[in-house]
Amino acid sequence: MILVTGGAGFIGRAVVRALVGRGDRVRVVDSLRSDVHGTNPAPPEPGAQFQLGDLRDPAVVVRALDGVDAVLHLAAKVGLGVSLDDAPDYIASNDLATAELLAGMARAGIPRLVLSSSMVVYGEGAYLGASGPERPTPRTIGDLEAGRFEPIGSDGRVLRPDLIVEDATLDPRNVYASSKLAQEQLASAWARSSAGVSAVLRYHNVYGPGMPHNTPYAGVASLFRSALARGEAPRVFEDGRQRRDFVHVDDVAAANVAALDWTADQAPGAVRPFNIGSGTVHTIGDVATALCADDTLRPVVTGEFRLGDVRHITASSERARAELEWRPLVPFEDGMRDLRTAPLRRAAS
């Protein structure tokens, strides 16, 4: 039996479909919290057991883990978490819940974990200066207001963006990112103390049918798509040249399955992070243009900005390709074409 926490969410549903499709016995536990799923959640994915519950409750964890061989942990509160007022909910929802789950797995002797993490643990992406790799300092309000969006190196010149690898320095820059890094550290502690094995998947910009369309973390793809559905032009912040790696939700689901199989072949105590991205760089402006392809509306580049946003972050997914034997299969053009007409998950009320 495979347990998928958060299996009623956007990515969780795709993971459940992939597991059920290959014949696995699957159980889902999800709290169906109203700020994510609204007051009328979609029915569970067919073919999987469903349990309603909050992982912060030890009794829920015990019931969910009964008869389970491995866990794919996707349940989390997502979003930017820019205000410290959000911190208690993020830490309780993400880190306390993860701690309860891992403690339950240790007691039950469940040795395999696939943890859903995020590119946000890196902060800014990787850059090259005149002398090689260089980490930029956070961009200032003054530079952003003046339209100077590119990070500047120690020599005063614009840094060149590069692909980030899993061994890069981690630099979470908001409450949500901090909670995701804490989840990774908890998983490492669990693996060491209980001889478990954990694959940590750092998702880049995930998109596809069924995306939530009213939260910042849903990403620009869903925000642009929702604007078009309202008859409004997508509003592109900064100059639209921010670089990202957009990866289709079906490819992310396949990565989870590959990571689950990887955990079965590793020595006890192994923990390994993997970037999960398409390997192809696109800009925010590329996404807006692709989604507008069949529409009379065109993107509007506003020059607006959000303090704390990173300029460029794109993934090297070579480790996942080599070690998980995983390949993203959905081309950007095909995925964006499908997203133009695919239904999005209704806004949470």
Side-chain angles (χ1 to χ4, degrees):
M1 175 73 74
I2 309 300
L3 175 66
V4 181
T5 74
F10 165 50
I11 299 174
R13 285 180 173 276
V15 171
V16 171
R17 287 194 296 271
L19 291 170
V20 170
R22 72 169 194 169
D24 288 318
R25 295 172 59 235
V26 180
R27 177 180 297 146
V28 169
V29 61
D30 201 298
S31 66
L32 299 180
R33 54 188 295 167
S34 61
D35 59 339
V36 176
H37 296 272
T39 56
N40 186 27
E45 285 294 314
Q49 298 179 13
F50 179 80
Q51 292 182 2
L52 177 65
D54 190 321
L55 293 173
R56 291 173 290 187
D57 183 344
V60 169
V61 171
V62 169
R63 186 171 69 251
L65 292 176
D66 182 39
V68 163
D69 303 303
V71 175
L72 290 87
H73 183 34
L74 293 94
K77 175 180 170 67
V78 299
L80 292 177
V82 294
S83 169
L84 284 179
D85 289 339
D86 299 328
D89 192 19
Y90 276 97
I91 300 308
S93 300
N94 295 354
D95 301 333
L96 175 58
T98 299
E100 290 287 1
L101 176 67
L102 295 175
M105 291 176 65
R107 288 191 297 268
I110 299 169
R112 299 163 58 200
L113 171 71
V114 178
L115 174 68
S116 290
S117 188
S118 170
M119 67 179 187
V120 297
V121 299
Y122 294 117
E124 271 284 358
Y127 293 86
L128 296 173
S131 302
E134 185 170 341
R135 295 286 290 180
T137 58
R139 298 179 294 170
T140 67
I141 292 178
D143 281 343
L144 293 170
E145 288 179 339
R148 294 188 292 268
F149 300 122
E150 296 293 342
I152 303 298
S154 57
D155 61 358
R157 299 180 181 179
V158 170
L159 294 172
R160 291 180 288 122
D162 196 12
L163 299 182
I164 200 156
V165 297
E166 291 86 350
D167 296 332
T169 300
L170 304 182
D171 183 22
R173 297 190 176 188
N174 56 52
V175 172
Y176 170 66
S178 297
S179 76
K180 296 306 288 184
L181 179 54
Q183 283 186 310
E184 292 195 14
Q185 293 168 333
L186 287 167
S188 294
W190 163 81
R192 286 194 299 269
S193 65
S194 66
V197 175
S198 177
V200 176
L201 305 186
R202 294 173 180 162
Y203 303 149
H204 285 250
N205 291 78
V206 186
Y207 74 97
M211 293 180 74
H213 64 144
N214 67 327
T215 61
Y217 186 76
V220 292
S222 66
L223 297 178
F224 293 165
R225 169 73 170 73
S226 298
L228 288 166
R230 296 191 302 269
E232 302 171 4
R235 296 176 62 83
V236 180
F237 279 19
E238 300 189 18
D239 58 4
R241 296 174 184 167
Q242 307 94 305
R243 292 159 55 103
R244 297 290 188 271
D245 186 322
F246 294 89
V247 58
H248 195 275
V249 67
D250 289 346
D251 286 330
V252 172
N256 273 267
V257 173
L260 176 65
D261 292 343
W262 177 89
T263 62
D265 297 327
Q266 305 307 306
V271 179
R272 190 76 159 152
F274 297 94
N275 283 331
I276 303 301
S278 69
T280 304
V281 175
H282 287 92
T283 67
I284 301 297
D286 290 340
V287 175
T289 299
L291 291 175
C292 288
D294 294 336
D295 203 287
T296 57
L297 296 169
R298 289 294 175 263
V300 176
V301 179
T302 69
E304 297 172 87
F305 61 87
R306 291 187 305 193
L307 190 64
D309 274 0
V310 301
R311 176 61 175 175
H312 305 297
I313 180 163
T314 52
S316 168
S317 296
E318 288 308 308
R319 178 183 290 182
R321 291 169 180 260
E323 299 182 22
L324 302 184
E325 300 182 353
W326 166 80
R327 298 287 186 278
L329 299 178
V330 181
F332 176 84
E333 294 76 15
D334 293 350
M336 288 294 163
R337 182 176 60 248
D338 292 343
L339 187 62
R340 290 200 292 264
T341 57
L344 301 181
R345 196 168 71 204
R346 66 173 63 89
S349 55

